Amino acid sequence: MQPLAERFRPKRLDDYVGQQHLVGHGAILRRMIESGNISSFILWGPPGVGKTTLAKLIANQLDIPFYTLSAVTSGVKDVREVIEKARQSQFFTKNSAILFIDEIHRFSKSQQDSLLGAVENGTITLIGATTENPSFEVITPLLSRCQVYVLKSLEATDLRLIIERVVNTLKDEYTFHIEEDSELLANSGGDARKLLNILEILINDSEGRNVTINNEIVRTHILQNPMAYDKDGEMHYDIISAYIKSIRGSDAKAATYWLARMIEGGEDPKFIARRLVIAASEDIGLANPNALLMANACFDTVNKVGLPEGRIPLAMATIYLANSKKDNTAYKAIDGMLDVVRKTGNLPVPLHLRNAPTSLMKELNYGAEYKYPHDYPNHWVEQQYLPDELAGK
């Protein structure tokens, strides 16, 4: 029997749950599908929110040849073979074949390079799926040829709709008694696949035809099956949040515990290392600038050696950052100034600070009254550096 997650995968766009900002009436992807003109794009979002399903729905709805590759198991040779099949299929359809690449952030540079020509000349329409920020993991030439659409975690109303569909579909097989669902929704974490996997555990463990769902039963079954419903790292976003907050709170023991949870759960070590770079900048900052050097060295090392050896530099950097003094001056300063810029717009640069590469600019007094600090005692002189409208504020 098919797993619930596969059995309840939507077959029509109107059955798709969530992401109304992309597929709702008048939204960008629905308009694209209705026009029949699909351009290459990347779907970025957490696990279990419908990235693969959406790609398959588009291909089915438009009756386009659909090829899929996993970045974990496919190489350049596999990419070239699919591109050749897509080229041959162009004789039988007006639309380019869709190539769906799951976990495209795991594709190497050479694998991504092998896609460029086919995407550029329209041999394939690329749809990539990633849980990682594509600006970090997808090469710039490929990224420039694709739109990026952000998918969100499913909300409680979306998850309850999925539960309702399961109950209605299986009503001839089981009788459901849903007394409470807050634990069920909370442990699903906005992930439809996780929700369906938990439901499957509850159904399989039920007595006869009666399936009772309440908070105590859900908690009990999750404790008994801690990894059965979570294929992408247990409570991914909650654990990374606990990890960063432990570093920020200078608790090296707790931070190392959450690091171990992520490593044991199969988290991408580069994802952890990137978060260390962010923490070194945001939470430690000017109190210990060496923290950023340590975090960058950790990222570089992990990128070179991977796991399991990479666990050691990750632990070193985690403990170092947790034990460092904390300061968020730079974080607050840039966010504060970004707010000022958004409110005041493009204020003119004061004349004395402007560059004067031409004679006309010099005649207009560009840079004329600039005071060169090194010509003054202690290499400092008082002068205005902010725009006139902000001076003195």
Side-chain angles (χ1 to χ4, degrees):
M1 182 177 175
Q2 277 188 316
L4 282 187
E6 193 59 37
R7 186 174 174 183
F8 284 90
R9 189 184 293 276
K11 303 298 189 295
R12 302 180 307 125
L13 189 61
D14 288 338
D15 295 332
Y16 186 82
V17 177
Q19 317 309 331
Q20 290 304 295
H21 63 295
L22 296 176
V23 300
H25 292 290
I28 180 65
L29 284 182
R30 183 176 284 271
R31 293 202 312 271
M32 195 184 293
I33 294 166
E34 289 172 348
S35 71
N37 297 315
I38 304 296
S39 56
S40 294
F41 58 84
I42 294 173
L43 299 170
W44 171 28
V49 297
K51 297 186 291 293
T52 303
T53 297
L54 186 53
K56 289 181 177 179
L57 282 175
I58 291 172
N60 289 338
Q61 191 133 340
L62 299 179
D63 195 23
I64 300 173
F66 184 81
Y67 302 98
T68 181
L69 292 175
S70 169
V72 177
T73 58
S74 305
V76 173
K77 179 175 178 289
D78 301 295
V79 173
R80 289 175 177 158
E81 287 177 356
V82 168
I83 290 173
E84 182 55 35
K85 290 178 183 177
R87 184 176 290 110
Q88 294 173 7
S89 72
Q90 286 181 315
F91 296 106
F92 306 101
T93 177
K94 65 176 183 177
N95 290 315
S96 301
I98 289 176
L99 171 56
F100 176 70
I101 300 180
D102 195 17
E103 298 188 273
I104 195 170
H105 60 277
R106 296 181 183 270
F107 251 24
S108 67
K109 182 179 182 300
S110 61
Q111 289 170 309
Q112 293 184 41
D113 281 336
S114 66
L115 294 165
L116 288 175
V119 173
E120 181 72 32
N121 62 31
T123 301
I124 60 169
T125 297
L126 174 66
I127 300 180
T130 177
T131 56
E132 301 291 336
N133 188 332
S135 61
F136 290 125
E137 300 291 352
V138 179
I139 60 174
T140 301
L142 187 57
L143 199 59
S144 68
R145 291 163 172 81
C146 301
Q147 292 294 317
V148 176
Y149 299 119
V150 180
L151 282 73
K152 305 171 184 176
S153 294
L154 299 183
E155 298 180 357
T157 52
D158 300 321
L159 297 172
R160 286 194 173 103
L161 178 57
I162 295 172
I163 295 171
E164 183 181 324
R165 289 181 180 175
V166 170
V167 170
N168 289 336
T169 303
L170 301 181
K171 62 185 178 182
D172 293 334
E173 303 174 50
Y174 301 95
T175 301
F176 288 85
H177 306 279
I178 302 179
E179 301 167 1
E180 300 169 297
D181 66 4
S182 59
E183 283 287 332
L184 177 59
L185 300 183
N187 283 284
S188 300
D191 182 329
R193 187 188 306 114
K194 189 182 295 185
L195 170 68
L196 290 166
N197 286 337
I198 298 173
L199 284 173
E200 189 161 29
I201 291 170
L202 297 176
I203 291 170
N204 290 339
D205 288 353
S206 64
E207 296 182 5
R209 287 171 42 87
N210 294 310
V211 180
T212 300
I213 296 174
N214 59 42
N215 292 342
E216 182 179 353
I217 289 173
V218 171
R219 277 196 297 268
T220 300
H221 279 76
I222 288 173
L223 287 172
Q224 290 173 351
N225 303 274
M227 298 302 290
Y229 65 90
D230 195 350
K231 303 295 193 297
D232 296 289
E234 184 180 326
M235 303 300 289
H236 170 89
Y237 291 99
D238 286 345
I239 288 182
I240 194 64
S241 175
Y243 175 60
I244 294 302
K245 287 171 181 171
S246 298
I247 291 174
R248 183 181 297 141
S250 300
D251 190 330
K253 184 186 295 184
T256 307
Y257 168 78
W258 295 119
L259 172 64
R261 283 281 295 275
M262 287 187 287
I263 292 172
E264 188 65 18
E267 183 59 80
D268 182 353
K270 289 193 292 182
F271 171 77
I272 304 172
R274 272 198 301 273
R275 297 308 304 238
L276 288 170
V277 173
I278 295 168
S281 305
E282 178 180 341
D283 294 309
I284 296 164
L286 300 173
N288 179 10
N290 284 332
L292 185 56
L293 298 177
M294 168 70 86
N296 269 300
C298 173
F299 184 92
D300 185 50
T301 304
V302 167
N303 200 32
K304 289 176 180 174
V305 305
L307 292 176
E309 290 82 1
R311 75 190 189 284
I312 304 169
L314 284 170
M316 286 175 59
T318 296
I319 295 167
Y320 184 85
L321 266 59
N323 286 329
S324 288
K325 292 182 178 180
K326 306 299 188 293
D327 176 83
N328 67 348
T329 302
Y331 168 69
K332 290 171 66 178
I334 187 59
D335 280 2
M337 283 303 180
L338 284 169
D339 187 53
V340 170
V341 168
R342 290 174 188 131
K343 289 177 179 176
T344 59
N346 297 319
L347 298 177
V349 176
L351 276 176
H352 65 285
L353 297 181
R354 296 188 190 186
N355 189 28
T358 69
S359 57
L360 175 60
M361 290 177 173
K362 291 176 182 176
E363 290 173 12
L364 294 173
N365 290 323
Y366 278 36
E369 297 181 15
Y370 173 63
K371 298 174 184 176
Y372 188 56
H374 297 296
D375 289 340
Y376 295 85
N378 299 318
H379 308 278
W380 182 87
V381 61
E382 185 174 350
Q383 64 182 324
Q384 178 185 324
Y385 291 102
L386 282 168
D388 293 340
E389 291 83 348
L390 300 179
K393 293 186 180 180

